[in-house]
Amino acid sequence: MEIRQLQMFCVAAKTLNFTKVGLKLGYAQSNITGQIRQLEEELHVKLFERMGRGIQLTNAGQVFLAHAQNILESCARAKEEFLPQGVRGVLNIGAAETACIYRLPPI
């Protein structure tokens, strides 16, 4: 199970269309279909009912959707924790009056 498979699955569950998933995520529709089938094979459960050109989420798919969303949210939080955030907190500067006149105004 890969993160991108979970992303594909969540977008597919929202759009109910593999072609739209491909357009949104930048993959070919055939790649989306193949990745979802691999995910279904790995989980030994059918996540979508395929009906002509459309798809419908199965009961197992609805249960898995909650898990997939939790996993993706956890991954996003983990990434945010380690991204550079810039300067945080309060910065106090103290200096003698003569230094303030000549040095601090340009700062």
Side-chain angles (χ1 to χ4, degrees):
M1 186 178 318
E2 298 177 15
I3 296 296
R4 81 184 151 106
Q5 287 176 326
L6 297 178
Q7 291 169 333
M8 290 176 186
F9 170 75
C10 287
V11 174
K14 185 177 179 181
T15 63
L16 297 177
N17 187 306
F18 289 153
T19 303
K20 289 180 183 177
V21 176
L23 292 173
K24 184 171 182 166
L25 298 178
Y27 295 106
Q29 181 269 331
S30 58
N31 189 11
I32 301 295
T33 304
Q35 292 296 320
I36 296 296
R37 285 189 192 206
Q38 280 182 345
L39 190 58
E40 289 175 329
E41 288 173 11
E42 184 175 343
L43 296 172
H44 304 288
V45 68
K46 196 171 190 180
L47 299 172
F48 291 101
E49 278 300 325
R50 282 123 174 118
M51 300 176 288
R53 298 187 129 218
I55 57 173
Q56 188 68 33
L57 207 55
T58 64
N59 290 337
Q62 290 174 351
V63 171
F64 184 69
L65 178 59
H67 293 296
Q69 289 171 333
N70 287 337
I71 292 167
L72 293 175
E73 289 170 9
S74 293
C75 289
R77 280 195 307 272
K79 284 181 184 179
E80 287 174 9
E81 189 171 324
F82 296 103
L83 289 176
Q85 296 291 325
V87 178
R88 293 184 191 177
V90 177
L91 175 63
N92 294 317
I93 299 175
E97 188 174 341
T98 54
C100 289
I101 294 171
Y102 296 106
R103 296 285 178 193
L104 289 182
I107 295 173

